[in-house]
Amino acid sequence: DIQMTQSPSSLSASVGDRVTITCRASQGIRNDLGWYQQKPGKAPKRLIYVASSLQSGVPSRFSGSGSGTEFTLTISSLQPEDFATYYCLQHNSYPYTFGQGTKLEMK
Amino acid sequence: EVRLVESGGGLVQPGGPLRLSCAASGFAFSSYWMSWVRQAPGKGLEWVANIKEDGSEKYYVESVKGRFTISRDNAKNSLYLQMDSLRAEDTAVYYCARGSAAAYWGQGTLVTVSS
């Protein structure tokens, strides 16, 4: 199975900060990776697909990059509604696997 | 608008069965892979299974193989997850999602396995 190691597991930041979250795959997954945002009690929402494409309707402050084994999600200027938990998902080979999540909290 | 509505969750005893349903609307259901993803209370997301557009291919996470069956009825725009021999560790919110890359998600249905 492909392991997705997400870091950090938690992060404290302030409105206006630039934030980067990383996912590392245990083997190459090309660009078969998505990023998801989940708020408490809600379903996840996809932000980024195929590593760097912005989902329709998602603010442009979110961006993704990477290919192969290392991927990043960047929020260029944190907004109050961005405090949530973020997950990556590899859909390159079965079983698909998520990172363990990054909880983004207000400093 | 893409809409996915799960149903069928509830309290079930260990070893018992449960069938989840997901009603899809707002897109051409028969043209998409579909997925089930679960989240145990206070834990992260776990991919469970997915199924090809015509139902000819199905894939499962190891922990549910032989116990869970994913299926679909394209005429009814519906996705299903038949869960047998349920265990306490299957307790989770179960989400259906459109596509193998989970582009859109339902609101989830809670399954609690407990005596």
Side-chain angles (χ1 to χ4, degrees):
Chain A
D1 298 4
I2 296 176
Q3 308 303 316
M4 301 301 296
T5 303
Q6 194 171 332
S7 60
S9 55
S10 64
L11 177 59
S12 294
S14 301
V15 172
D17 283 354
R18 181 182 181 88
V19 166
T20 297
I21 299 168
T22 297
C23 262
R24 289 187 174 86
S26 60
Q27 63 191 72
I29 59 169
R30 302 183 305 183
N31 66 344
D32 297 328
L33 182 120
W35 288 98
Y36 301 79
Q37 177 194 66
Q38 187 179 32
K39 296 181 178 178
K42 300 294 187 182
K45 171 188 172 184
R46 192 170 73 171
L47 304 174
I48 301 288
Y49 63 100
V50 293
S52 59
S53 293
L54 191 67
Q55 185 80 17
S56 175
V58 173
S60 59
R61 62 181 180 274
F62 292 93
S63 64
S65 65
S67 183
T69 61
E70 187 148 343
F71 302 86
T72 58
L73 173 71
T74 299
I75 310 172
S76 60
S77 178
L78 267 176
Q79 297 303 300
E81 60 269 30
D82 299 339
F83 292 96
T85 301
Y86 293 84
Y87 296 93
C88 61
L89 166 67
Q90 72 81 16
H91 54 91
N92 176 265
S93 61
Y94 292 106
Y96 292 172
T97 42
F98 287 91
Q100 75 273 26
T102 294
K103 187 173 185 179
L104 180 52
E105 298 173 306
M106 194 176 299
K107 188 182 287 184
Chain B
E1 178 196 2
V2 174
R3 191 156 187 249
L4 298 166
V5 180
E6 301 93 339
S7 61
L11 176 63
V12 61
Q13 292 193 337
L18 202 62
R19 188 193 197 210
L20 305 184
S21 299
C22 172
S25 60
F27 65 99
F29 180 76
S30 61
S31 298
Y32 288 87
W33 284 72
M34 294 295 295
S35 303
W36 287 101
V37 177
R38 67 184 179 183
Q39 186 169 36
K43 302 296 185 184
L45 300 170
E46 180 181 39
W47 174 83
V48 173
N50 67 8
I51 184 169
K52 195 175 180 180
E53 296 95 333
D54 62 358
S56 61
E57 294 181 36
K58 304 174 184 182
Y59 300 92
Y60 301 90
V61 68
E62 189 65 35
S63 60
V64 309
K65 281 181 184 175
R67 300 189 300 121
F68 289 13
T69 302
I70 188 172
S71 63
R72 64 192 297 161
D73 185 336
N74 287 342
K76 294 183 177 179
N77 289 343
S78 293
L79 176 72
Y80 306 102
L81 187 66
Q82 176 67 42
M83 303 186 295
D84 297 318
S85 303
L86 280 161
R87 306 167 179 168
E89 55 265 36
D90 297 317
T91 294
V93 175
Y94 285 74
Y95 297 99
C96 71
R98 191 186 87 173
S100 56
Y104 297 93
W105 300 56
Q107 83 290 349
T109 188
L110 177 62
V111 173
T112 303
V113 184
S114 175
S115 55

mmCIF file of all heavy atoms in Angstrom, chain B residues 19 22 24 27-36 50-58 69-81 97-99:
data_model
loop_
_atom_site.group_PDB
_atom_site.id
_atom_site.type_symbol
_atom_site.label_atom_id
_atom_site.label_comp_id
_atom_site.label_asym_id
_atom_site.label_seq_id
_atom_site.Cartn_x
_atom_site.Cartn_y
_atom_site.Cartn_z
ATOM 1 N N ARG B 19 -27.285 -2.063 5.096
ATOM 2 C CA ARG B 19 -27.130 -1.639 3.713
ATOM 3 C C ARG B 19 -27.273 -0.136 3.625
ATOM 4 O O ARG B 19 -28.306 0.416 4.009
ATOM 5 C CB ARG B 19 -28.185 -2.302 2.826
ATOM 6 C CG ARG B 19 -27.970 -2.072 1.348
ATOM 7 C CD ARG B 19 -29.183 -2.463 0.557
ATOM 8 N NE ARG B 19 -28.898 -2.626 -0.859
ATOM 9 C CZ ARG B 19 -29.785 -2.407 -1.824
ATOM 10 N NH1 ARG B 19 -31.005 -2.012 -1.509
ATOM 11 N NH2 ARG B 19 -29.460 -2.593 -3.081
ATOM 12 N N CYS B 22 -27.026 5.580 -1.486
ATOM 13 C CA CYS B 22 -26.646 6.943 -1.841
ATOM 14 C C CYS B 22 -27.437 7.317 -3.088
ATOM 15 O O CYS B 22 -27.256 6.697 -4.141
ATOM 16 C CB CYS B 22 -25.150 7.028 -2.097
ATOM 17 S SG CYS B 22 -24.591 8.616 -2.766
ATOM 18 N N ALA B 24 -28.152 9.835 -6.023
ATOM 19 C CA ALA B 24 -27.404 10.853 -6.761
ATOM 20 C C ALA B 24 -28.324 11.648 -7.681
ATOM 21 O O ALA B 24 -29.276 11.101 -8.251
ATOM 22 C CB ALA B 24 -26.303 10.196 -7.583
ATOM 23 N N PHE B 27 -26.210 15.148 -12.058
ATOM 24 C CA PHE B 27 -25.144 14.773 -12.997
ATOM 25 C C PHE B 27 -25.497 13.422 -13.606
ATOM 26 O O PHE B 27 -26.401 12.726 -13.135
ATOM 27 C CB PHE B 27 -23.783 14.726 -12.301
ATOM 28 C CG PHE B 27 -23.633 13.669 -11.240
ATOM 29 C CD1 PHE B 27 -22.997 12.466 -11.507
ATOM 30 C CD2 PHE B 27 -24.137 13.876 -9.965
ATOM 31 C CE1 PHE B 27 -22.857 11.488 -10.535
ATOM 32 C CE2 PHE B 27 -24.005 12.911 -8.976
ATOM 33 C CZ PHE B 27 -23.364 11.717 -9.265
ATOM 34 N N ALA B 28 -24.756 13.064 -14.647
ATOM 35 C CA ALA B 28 -24.993 11.798 -15.348
ATOM 36 C C ALA B 28 -24.344 10.657 -14.556
ATOM 37 O O ALA B 28 -23.196 10.270 -14.794
ATOM 38 C CB ALA B 28 -24.418 11.874 -16.751
ATOM 39 N N PHE B 29 -25.109 10.120 -13.628
ATOM 40 C CA PHE B 29 -24.599 9.117 -12.682
ATOM 41 C C PHE B 29 -23.886 7.966 -13.384
ATOM 42 O O PHE B 29 -22.812 7.538 -12.949
ATOM 43 C CB PHE B 29 -25.765 8.592 -11.846
ATOM 44 C CG PHE B 29 -25.398 7.548 -10.833
ATOM 45 C CD1 PHE B 29 -24.760 7.899 -9.652
ATOM 46 C CD2 PHE B 29 -25.715 6.212 -11.048
ATOM 47 C CE1 PHE B 29 -24.426 6.937 -8.699
ATOM 48 C CE2 PHE B 29 -25.391 5.239 -10.107
ATOM 49 C CZ PHE B 29 -24.745 5.600 -8.931
ATOM 50 N N SER B 30 -24.443 7.479 -14.458
ATOM 51 C CA SER B 30 -23.902 6.299 -15.134
ATOM 52 C C SER B 30 -22.565 6.564 -15.814
ATOM 53 O O SER B 30 -21.931 5.622 -16.312
ATOM 54 C CB SER B 30 -24.903 5.766 -16.162
ATOM 55 O OG SER B 30 -25.177 6.738 -17.143
ATOM 56 N N SER B 31 -22.125 7.815 -15.829
ATOM 57 C CA SER B 31 -20.853 8.171 -16.484
ATOM 58 C C SER B 31 -19.692 8.310 -15.510
ATOM 59 O O SER B 31 -18.595 8.693 -15.926
ATOM 60 C CB SER B 31 -21.022 9.497 -17.238
ATOM 61 O OG SER B 31 -21.988 9.374 -18.253
ATOM 62 N N TYR B 32 -19.926 8.028 -14.235
ATOM 63 C CA TYR B 32 -18.895 8.264 -13.229
ATOM 64 C C TYR B 32 -18.622 7.037 -12.368
ATOM 65 O O TYR B 32 -19.549 6.324 -11.969
ATOM 66 C CB TYR B 32 -19.306 9.404 -12.300
ATOM 67 C CG TYR B 32 -19.261 10.760 -12.947
ATOM 68 C CD1 TYR B 32 -20.365 11.246 -13.643
ATOM 69 C CD2 TYR B 32 -18.116 11.543 -12.877
ATOM 70 C CE1 TYR B 32 -20.327 12.488 -14.253
ATOM 71 C CE2 TYR B 32 -18.075 12.785 -13.478
ATOM 72 C CZ TYR B 32 -19.183 13.253 -14.167
ATOM 73 O OH TYR B 32 -19.139 14.487 -14.767
ATOM 74 N N TRP B 33 -17.334 6.813 -12.059
ATOM 75 C CA TRP B 33 -17.004 5.961 -10.940
ATOM 76 C C TRP B 33 -17.639 6.580 -9.696
ATOM 77 O O TRP B 33 -17.827 7.785 -9.616
ATOM 78 C CB TRP B 33 -15.490 5.911 -10.742
ATOM 79 C CG TRP B 33 -14.736 5.072 -11.709
ATOM 80 C CD1 TRP B 33 -14.489 5.330 -13.028
ATOM 81 C CD2 TRP B 33 -14.061 3.840 -11.416
ATOM 82 N NE1 TRP B 33 -13.716 4.339 -13.570
ATOM 83 C CE2 TRP B 33 -13.435 3.402 -12.613
ATOM 84 C CE3 TRP B 33 -13.917 3.062 -10.256
ATOM 85 C CZ2 TRP B 33 -12.690 2.225 -12.688
ATOM 86 C CZ3 TRP B 33 -13.181 1.893 -10.326
ATOM 87 C CH2 TRP B 33 -12.574 1.484 -11.520
ATOM 88 N N MET B 34 -17.892 5.724 -8.717
ATOM 89 C CA MET B 34 -18.413 6.187 -7.437
ATOM 90 C C MET B 34 -17.623 5.524 -6.304
ATOM 91 O O MET B 34 -17.097 4.413 -6.460
ATOM 92 C CB MET B 34 -19.890 5.866 -7.286
ATOM 93 C CG MET B 34 -20.793 6.612 -8.269
ATOM 94 S SD MET B 34 -20.814 8.397 -8.043
ATOM 95 C CE MET B 34 -21.567 8.534 -6.404
ATOM 96 N N SER B 35 -17.576 6.218 -5.174
ATOM 97 C CA SER B 35 -16.743 5.766 -4.059
ATOM 98 C C SER B 35 -17.496 5.825 -2.738
ATOM 99 O O SER B 35 -18.444 6.595 -2.583
ATOM 100 C CB SER B 35 -15.509 6.670 -3.933
ATOM 101 O OG SER B 35 -14.756 6.714 -5.118
ATOM 102 N N TRP B 36 -17.035 5.025 -1.790
ATOM 103 C CA TRP B 36 -17.420 5.136 -0.374
ATOM 104 C C TRP B 36 -16.160 5.431 0.428
ATOM 105 O O TRP B 36 -15.124 4.805 0.227
ATOM 106 C CB TRP B 36 -18.061 3.853 0.138
ATOM 107 C CG TRP B 36 -19.441 3.594 -0.361
ATOM 108 C CD1 TRP B 36 -19.821 2.743 -1.361
ATOM 109 C CD2 TRP B 36 -20.659 4.190 0.128
ATOM 110 N NE1 TRP B 36 -21.182 2.782 -1.530
ATOM 111 C CE2 TRP B 36 -21.721 3.657 -0.627
ATOM 112 C CE3 TRP B 36 -20.968 5.111 1.130
ATOM 113 C CZ2 TRP B 36 -23.061 4.009 -0.411
ATOM 114 C CZ3 TRP B 36 -22.286 5.471 1.350
ATOM 115 C CH2 TRP B 36 -23.321 4.924 0.583
ATOM 116 N N ASN B 50 -14.575 1.515 -4.305
ATOM 117 C CA ASN B 50 -15.170 2.221 -5.420
ATOM 118 C C ASN B 50 -15.591 1.262 -6.518
ATOM 119 O O ASN B 50 -15.264 0.066 -6.496
ATOM 120 C CB ASN B 50 -14.326 3.398 -5.902
ATOM 121 C CG ASN B 50 -13.021 3.015 -6.518
ATOM 122 O OD1 ASN B 50 -12.745 1.844 -6.752
ATOM 123 N ND2 ASN B 50 -12.190 4.012 -6.793
ATOM 124 N N ILE B 51 -16.387 1.788 -7.441
ATOM 125 C CA ILE B 51 -17.014 0.964 -8.470
ATOM 126 C C ILE B 51 -17.020 1.732 -9.779
ATOM 127 O O ILE B 51 -17.277 2.939 -9.824
ATOM 128 C CB ILE B 51 -18.447 0.560 -8.032
ATOM 129 C CG1 ILE B 51 -19.097 -0.393 -9.038
ATOM 130 C CG2 ILE B 51 -19.329 1.799 -7.798
ATOM 131 C CD1 ILE B 51 -20.393 -1.030 -8.523
ATOM 132 N N LYS B 52 -16.735 1.002 -10.840
ATOM 133 C CA LYS B 52 -16.686 1.585 -12.170
ATOM 134 C C LYS B 52 -18.088 1.976 -12.651
ATOM 135 O O LYS B 52 -19.094 1.527 -12.085
ATOM 136 C CB LYS B 52 -16.057 0.572 -13.147
ATOM 137 C CG LYS B 52 -15.625 1.152 -14.474
ATOM 138 C CD LYS B 52 -14.919 0.108 -15.317
ATOM 139 C CE LYS B 52 -14.493 0.698 -16.658
ATOM 140 N NZ LYS B 52 -13.800 -0.307 -17.503
ATOM 141 N N GLU B 53 -18.121 2.777 -13.711
ATOM 142 C CA GLU B 53 -19.389 3.288 -14.213
ATOM 143 C C GLU B 53 -20.433 2.195 -14.466
ATOM 144 O O GLU B 53 -21.613 2.358 -14.129
ATOM 145 C CB GLU B 53 -19.172 4.045 -15.532
ATOM 146 C CG GLU B 53 -18.314 5.294 -15.431
ATOM 147 C CD GLU B 53 -16.862 5.033 -15.764
ATOM 148 O OE1 GLU B 53 -16.387 3.892 -15.577
ATOM 149 O OE2 GLU B 53 -16.192 5.981 -16.209
ATOM 150 N N ASP B 54 -20.004 1.087 -15.045
ATOM 151 C CA ASP B 54 -20.954 0.027 -15.391
ATOM 152 C C ASP B 54 -20.992 -1.105 -14.363
ATOM 153 O O ASP B 54 -21.625 -2.130 -14.574
ATOM 154 C CB ASP B 54 -20.638 -0.545 -16.768
ATOM 155 C CG ASP B 54 -19.263 -1.182 -16.847
ATOM 156 O OD1 ASP B 54 -18.536 -1.147 -15.834
ATOM 157 O OD2 ASP B 54 -18.896 -1.700 -17.913
ATOM 158 N N GLY B 55 -20.270 -0.922 -13.262
ATOM 159 C CA GLY B 55 -20.245 -1.928 -12.202
ATOM 160 C C GLY B 55 -19.313 -3.089 -12.458
ATOM 161 O O GLY B 55 -19.281 -4.040 -11.670
ATOM 162 N N SER B 56 -18.554 -3.051 -13.535
ATOM 163 C CA SER B 56 -17.730 -4.198 -13.929
ATOM 164 C C SER B 56 -16.435 -4.305 -13.126
ATOM 165 O O SER B 56 -15.787 -5.355 -13.146
ATOM 166 C CB SER B 56 -17.400 -4.120 -15.422
ATOM 167 O OG SER B 56 -16.663 -2.951 -15.703
ATOM 168 N N GLU B 57 -16.035 -3.242 -12.465
ATOM 169 C CA GLU B 57 -14.833 -3.275 -11.630
ATOM 170 C C GLU B 57 -15.165 -2.706 -10.251
ATOM 171 O O GLU B 57 -15.844 -1.681 -10.136
ATOM 172 C CB GLU B 57 -13.708 -2.451 -12.256
ATOM 173 C CG GLU B 57 -13.178 -3.009 -13.560
ATOM 174 C CD GLU B 57 -12.039 -2.184 -14.142
ATOM 175 O OE1 GLU B 57 -11.226 -1.662 -13.344
ATOM 176 O OE2 GLU B 57 -11.962 -2.054 -15.370
ATOM 177 N N LYS B 58 -14.656 -3.389 -9.239
ATOM 178 C CA LYS B 58 -14.880 -2.972 -7.857
ATOM 179 C C LYS B 58 -13.583 -3.162 -7.085
ATOM 180 O O LYS B 58 -12.886 -4.162 -7.290
ATOM 181 C CB LYS B 58 -15.988 -3.809 -7.210
ATOM 182 C CG LYS B 58 -17.301 -3.790 -7.971
ATOM 183 C CD LYS B 58 -18.309 -4.738 -7.356
ATOM 184 C CE LYS B 58 -19.584 -4.790 -8.192
ATOM 185 N NZ LYS B 58 -20.609 -5.680 -7.583
ATOM 186 N N THR B 69 -19.864 -5.146 0.179
ATOM 187 C CA THR B 69 -20.054 -5.224 -1.271
ATOM 188 C C THR B 69 -20.594 -3.894 -1.772
ATOM 189 O O THR B 69 -21.651 -3.431 -1.321
ATOM 190 C CB THR B 69 -21.031 -6.342 -1.645
ATOM 191 O OG1 THR B 69 -20.553 -7.589 -1.141
ATOM 192 C CG2 THR B 69 -21.184 -6.432 -3.162
ATOM 193 N N ILE B 70 -19.882 -3.306 -2.701
ATOM 194 C CA ILE B 70 -20.337 -2.071 -3.331
ATOM 195 C C ILE B 70 -21.110 -2.443 -4.591
ATOM 196 O O ILE B 70 -20.744 -3.393 -5.302
ATOM 197 C CB ILE B 70 -19.147 -1.132 -3.651
ATOM 198 C CG1 ILE B 70 -19.626 0.242 -4.116
ATOM 199 C CG2 ILE B 70 -18.197 -1.768 -4.659
ATOM 200 C CD1 ILE B 70 -18.490 1.273 -4.254
ATOM 201 N N SER B 71 -22.180 -1.727 -4.855
ATOM 202 C CA SER B 71 -22.962 -1.982 -6.064
ATOM 203 C C SER B 71 -23.655 -0.685 -6.475
ATOM 204 O O SER B 71 -23.642 0.302 -5.738
ATOM 205 C CB SER B 71 -23.988 -3.098 -5.851
ATOM 206 O OG SER B 71 -24.937 -2.712 -4.863
ATOM 207 N N ARG B 72 -24.268 -0.712 -7.641
ATOM 208 C CA ARG B 72 -24.958 0.471 -8.132
ATOM 209 C C ARG B 72 -26.115 0.065 -9.013
ATOM 210 O O ARG B 72 -26.127 -1.036 -9.587
ATOM 211 C CB ARG B 72 -23.987 1.374 -8.893
ATOM 212 C CG ARG B 72 -23.419 0.773 -10.147
ATOM 213 C CD ARG B 72 -22.238 1.600 -10.697
ATOM 214 N NE ARG B 72 -22.657 2.937 -11.089
ATOM 215 C CZ ARG B 72 -21.805 3.962 -11.239
ATOM 216 N NH1 ARG B 72 -20.508 3.791 -11.004
ATOM 217 N NH2 ARG B 72 -22.249 5.147 -11.617
ATOM 218 N N ASP B 73 -27.084 0.955 -9.131
ATOM 219 C CA ASP B 73 -28.210 0.783 -10.040
ATOM 220 C C ASP B 73 -28.293 2.071 -10.854
ATOM 221 O O ASP B 73 -28.809 3.082 -10.371
ATOM 222 C CB ASP B 73 -29.499 0.524 -9.253
ATOM 223 C CG ASP B 73 -30.690 0.220 -10.154
ATOM 224 O OD1 ASP B 73 -30.671 0.636 -11.330
ATOM 225 O OD2 ASP B 73 -31.646 -0.421 -9.683
ATOM 226 N N ASN B 74 -27.779 2.032 -12.060
ATOM 227 C CA ASN B 74 -27.734 3.248 -12.871
ATOM 228 C C ASN B 74 -29.124 3.724 -13.282
ATOM 229 O O ASN B 74 -29.337 4.909 -13.513
ATOM 230 C CB ASN B 74 -26.848 3.033 -14.100
ATOM 231 C CG ASN B 74 -25.368 2.986 -13.729
ATOM 232 O OD1 ASN B 74 -24.966 3.433 -12.656
ATOM 233 N ND2 ASN B 74 -24.555 2.438 -14.618
ATOM 234 N N ALA B 75 -30.076 2.812 -13.361
ATOM 235 C CA ALA B 75 -31.446 3.199 -13.702
ATOM 236 C C ALA B 75 -32.091 4.017 -12.583
ATOM 237 O O ALA B 75 -32.975 4.834 -12.817
ATOM 238 C CB ALA B 75 -32.289 1.970 -13.997
ATOM 239 N N LYS B 76 -31.611 3.789 -11.363
ATOM 240 C CA LYS B 76 -32.157 4.497 -10.202
ATOM 241 C C LYS B 76 -31.206 5.570 -9.675
ATOM 242 O O LYS B 76 -31.472 6.178 -8.639
ATOM 243 C CB LYS B 76 -32.456 3.504 -9.072
ATOM 244 C CG LYS B 76 -33.557 2.515 -9.399
ATOM 245 C CD LYS B 76 -33.855 1.606 -8.217
ATOM 246 C CE LYS B 76 -35.011 0.663 -8.528
ATOM 247 N NZ LYS B 76 -35.309 -0.248 -7.397
ATOM 248 N N ASN B 77 -30.091 5.788 -10.382
ATOM 249 C CA ASN B 77 -29.090 6.779 -9.942
ATOM 250 C C ASN B 77 -28.691 6.558 -8.484
ATOM 251 O O ASN B 77 -28.618 7.515 -7.687
ATOM 252 C CB ASN B 77 -29.623 8.206 -10.119
ATOM 253 C CG ASN B 77 -29.720 8.619 -11.578
ATOM 254 O OD1 ASN B 77 -29.115 7.997 -12.455
ATOM 255 N ND2 ASN B 77 -30.505 9.644 -11.849
ATOM 256 N N SER B 78 -28.433 5.317 -8.166
ATOM 257 C CA SER B 78 -28.159 4.968 -6.770
ATOM 258 C C SER B 78 -26.927 4.108 -6.608
ATOM 259 O O SER B 78 -26.651 3.229 -7.430
ATOM 260 C CB SER B 78 -29.363 4.257 -6.157
ATOM 261 O OG SER B 78 -30.469 5.130 -6.042
ATOM 262 N N LEU B 79 -26.240 4.364 -5.514
ATOM 263 C CA LEU B 79 -25.049 3.610 -5.105
ATOM 264 C C LEU B 79 -25.380 2.922 -3.792
ATOM 265 O O LEU B 79 -26.110 3.479 -2.964
ATOM 266 C CB LEU B 79 -23.881 4.573 -4.924
ATOM 267 C CG LEU B 79 -22.559 4.009 -4.405
ATOM 268 C CD1 LEU B 79 -21.885 3.155 -5.482
ATOM 269 C CD2 LEU B 79 -21.645 5.150 -3.968
ATOM 270 N N TYR B 80 -24.814 1.730 -3.592
ATOM 271 C CA TYR B 80 -25.092 0.973 -2.385
ATOM 272 C C TYR B 80 -23.810 0.448 -1.749
ATOM 273 O O TYR B 80 -22.792 0.278 -2.429
ATOM 274 C CB TYR B 80 -26.010 -0.211 -2.695
ATOM 275 C CG TYR B 80 -27.280 0.179 -3.406
ATOM 276 C CD1 TYR B 80 -27.415 -0.013 -4.779
ATOM 277 C CD2 TYR B 80 -28.344 0.753 -2.710
ATOM 278 C CE1 TYR B 80 -28.573 0.360 -5.444
ATOM 279 C CE2 TYR B 80 -29.508 1.129 -3.378
ATOM 280 C CZ TYR B 80 -29.606 0.936 -4.741
ATOM 281 O OH TYR B 80 -30.754 1.313 -5.400
ATOM 282 N N LEU B 81 -23.901 0.192 -0.449
ATOM 283 C CA LEU B 81 -22.829 -0.513 0.242
ATOM 284 C C LEU B 81 -23.486 -1.509 1.181
ATOM 285 O O LEU B 81 -24.100 -1.125 2.181
ATOM 286 C CB LEU B 81 -21.923 0.440 1.021
ATOM 287 C CG LEU B 81 -20.677 -0.208 1.633
ATOM 288 C CD1 LEU B 81 -19.726 -0.685 0.531
ATOM 289 C CD2 LEU B 81 -19.959 0.753 2.581
ATOM 290 N N ALA B 97 -19.139 9.429 -2.591
ATOM 291 C CA ALA B 97 -18.455 10.484 -3.318
ATOM 292 C C ALA B 97 -18.476 10.176 -4.807
ATOM 293 O O ALA B 97 -18.427 9.012 -5.216
ATOM 294 C CB ALA B 97 -17.017 10.628 -2.823
ATOM 295 N N ARG B 98 -18.543 11.226 -5.601
ATOM 296 C CA ARG B 98 -18.533 11.063 -7.044
ATOM 297 C C ARG B 98 -17.113 10.940 -7.564
ATOM 298 O O ARG B 98 -16.247 11.763 -7.228
ATOM 299 C CB ARG B 98 -19.211 12.244 -7.734
ATOM 300 C CG ARG B 98 -19.469 12.006 -9.222
ATOM 301 C CD ARG B 98 -20.002 13.233 -9.917
ATOM 302 N NE ARG B 98 -18.905 14.076 -10.379
ATOM 303 C CZ ARG B 98 -19.076 15.155 -11.138
ATOM 304 N NH1 ARG B 98 -20.299 15.525 -11.479
ATOM 305 N NH2 ARG B 98 -18.047 15.867 -11.536
ATOM 306 N N GLY B 99 -16.902 9.922 -8.352
ATOM 307 C CA GLY B 99 -15.609 9.745 -8.991
ATOM 308 C C GLY B 99 -14.632 8.995 -8.112
ATOM 309 O O GLY B 99 -14.748 8.971 -6.886
#
